[in-house]
Amino acid sequence: MTVFGEIAADYRRRLNEGGNEPPGLGLKLVRENRLGAVRLAAEYGGGDYTVPQFFEFLISLAEADPDLAHILRVHFANVEELQRVPVTAAKQQWISVIAEGRLIGGVSSEQSTRSVGGQSYDTKLIRENGGLRLRGRKFYSTGAQFSDYLRVTAENEDGAPVAAVVPADRTGVVHLDDWDGVGQRHTGSGTTLFEDVAVSDDEVLTLGTNVGVDRARGALVQLYLHAIAAGILRSVASEAATLVRERHRTYTFATADTPARDPQLLEIVGEIDAAAYAAEAVVLRAATELAPALGTARVSGIDAELETKASIAAARVKVAIEEPALRAASRIFDVGGASSARSTAHLDRHWRNLRTLFSHNPTVYKARVLGDIAVNGAPLPDSGFF
């Protein structure tokens, strides 16, 4: 069995046993097979995947286990950030950690912040009694409790944004595991506390503050979410076909004696299949537009024009796939009959997971900005969330 096969089988087992268990085996396999290093350059001991190869990998991983794919999102963002020039000695030590197969998650969002996407943090990194101390409270800590290390954004004594990379189990780091989302339930996306956590000077990274200049726009992490959605849609299409193929009962007023020959059911399966195909296609197309931005950042630094093109591509994908994806996840019930609504069928997870993913950075804002660009040539918002 392939690694993805093992991950998928474990995901199904966990569903069948109540769906209350995080992807422990999947994380073990990720570490053992150094899957977290697939985008690390060969010179650092990584898999050297191209950007399109990486997104093909990610879609397949999300098809096998969408929680596991989501858990790794911040890790892969860190992989890119650490390889962006200049690659300092501080960055190099963490690149070595990734090459060994370990995971560097991260936490940034704070519910106390009114303006999402900025670099103002209530979490502070303060020097006291000759040492650095990290204090704060983060939410949406996706993957943090499952990581080996955490990249934590904070403000230093001068109010400047910095990042501290610390072991996820260091004294004072508390994972509350209080995520109660309707979907992506086992991603550990709840609260992380930093209670007087000791930080050494070589664990601190400086952060860029000018989007498109020394701070990436974040097209990677945006498109990453859409790739998870594409993987989920693969599962929806596969399960819809299996449902119809294996159904034996049908209605007296159906147009065929068996569901597998019913043209109305076949039409719905065909629509779901097309939605899955289209989502994957646009994600991979956008990946080709993201590739120059990531490649250039590794060679000569962030290129504002390439960053903008990549962010527009990622936004287009989100706007294009959201409604067809949610419709597909709902229409699977139309081919499964009443039995498909049983909780043991687990079919509701697809809509819940997609809805949760799409709630990141709402589509209404993305569509409005795309329209403003098309009509008025407006610039993108000056935010790492776009």
Side-chain angles (χ1 to χ4, degrees):
M1 185 182 291
T2 65
V3 173
F4 284 164
E6 289 185 72
I7 291 171
D10 183 65
Y11 178 66
R12 175 57 62 175
R13 175 194 63 78
R14 298 193 332 267
L15 283 176
N16 291 338
E17 292 180 0
N20 298 313
E21 180 184 343
L25 175 61
L27 286 161
K28 178 174 179 288
L29 292 169
V30 165
R31 288 183 170 92
E32 287 178 350
N33 292 276
R34 298 193 312 119
L35 298 184
V38 295
R39 268 292 290 165
L40 202 62
E43 64 185 280
Y44 298 130
D48 209 24
Y49 277 30
T50 66
V51 177
Q53 284 175 328
F54 171 69
F55 276 92
E56 289 173 355
F57 156 87
L58 179 56
I59 291 169
S60 295
L61 179 59
E63 179 185 15
D65 187 336
D67 282 329
L68 180 60
H70 199 173
I71 282 169
L72 300 175
R73 179 180 177 233
V74 177
H75 167 82
F76 282 117
N78 288 330
V79 171
E80 293 301 326
E81 180 183 30
L82 291 169
Q83 294 178 96
R84 192 179 302 135
V85 298
V87 179
T88 61
K91 287 183 176 181
Q92 184 65 60
Q93 67 172 322
W94 302 116
I95 288 174
S96 298
V97 165
I98 292 168
E100 294 168 358
R102 286 180 282 179
L103 303 176
I104 303 178
V107 288
S108 184
S109 296
E110 298 173 347
Q111 289 186 307
S112 57
T113 303
R114 295 185 63 184
S115 182
V116 178
Q119 286 185 298
S120 296
Y121 304 110
D122 289 332
T123 300
K124 308 299 181 184
L125 183 65
I126 305 297
R127 190 174 298 277
E128 289 182 352
N129 302 319
L132 291 169
R133 294 287 169 172
L134 183 67
R135 303 185 183 106
R137 182 186 188 97
K138 300 288 189 177
F139 197 65
Y140 301 120
S141 307
T142 302
Q145 70 188 76
F146 306 115
S147 300
D148 300 297
Y149 296 88
L150 300 180
R151 173 192 177 278
V152 187
T153 54
E155 288 183 5
N156 65 14
E157 295 154 311
D158 300 321
V162 294
V165 184
V166 298
D169 60 354
R170 178 167 285 175
T171 300
V173 179
V174 182
H175 306 280
L176 295 187
D177 196 19
D178 57 350
W179 172 240
D180 60 351
V182 298
Q184 298 299 97
R185 290 177 170 174
H186 301 294
T187 56
S189 296
T191 303
T192 307
L193 304 178
F194 298 91
E195 300 176 338
D196 210 36
V197 177
V199 178
S200 62
D201 287 282
D202 64 356
E203 293 174 328
V204 180
L205 300 174
T206 58
L207 297 180
T209 57
N210 298 309
V211 173
V213 179
D214 59 4
R215 180 185 176 201
R217 280 199 169 276
L220 170 68
V221 291
Q222 302 301 316
L223 190 59
Y224 193 108
L225 293 172
H226 314 334
I228 299 174
I232 291 172
L233 282 171
R234 271 193 191 174
S235 295
V236 175
S238 174
E239 291 180 30
T242 299
L243 272 173
V244 174
R245 187 184 308 116
E246 296 182 353
R247 272 184 62 185
H248 301 295
R249 300 172 67 240
T250 192
Y251 293 91
T252 56
F253 43 82
T255 57
D257 292 336
T258 62
R261 299 295 181 185
D262 189 323
Q264 290 179 288
L265 300 183
L266 295 177
E267 179 181 357
I268 296 172
V269 173
E271 290 177 357
I272 294 173
D273 178 78
Y277 180 88
E280 183 170 344
V282 293
V283 167
L284 295 179
R285 166 59 190 271
T288 67
E289 298 185 58
L290 174 61
L294 297 184
T296 299
R298 294 186 182 191
V299 175
S300 57
I302 291 172
D303 183 290
E305 183 177 351
L306 294 176
E307 287 278 318
T308 294
K309 288 181 179 178
S311 289
I312 290 173
R316 284 171 171 163
V317 172
K318 179 174 176 61
V319 174
I321 72 172
E322 180 170 316
E323 288 190 12
L326 293 172
R327 174 178 167 81
S330 179
R331 295 219 74 191
I332 193 172
F333 293 96
D334 292 331
V335 301
S339 60
S340 64
R342 299 174 63 187
S343 61
T344 52
H346 308 297
L347 295 178
D348 61 307
R349 77 186 192 279
H350 298 305
W351 189 93
R352 291 187 290 98
N353 288 339
L354 287 167
R355 181 63 273 174
T356 301
L357 290 167
F358 290 137
S359 294
H360 290 69
N361 312 321
T363 300
V364 62
Y365 297 124
K366 301 284 186 176
R368 186 261 301 167
V369 170
L370 290 175
D372 202 9
I373 292 170
V375 175
N376 301 309
L380 285 177
D382 191 16
S383 168
F385 278 72
F386 219 122

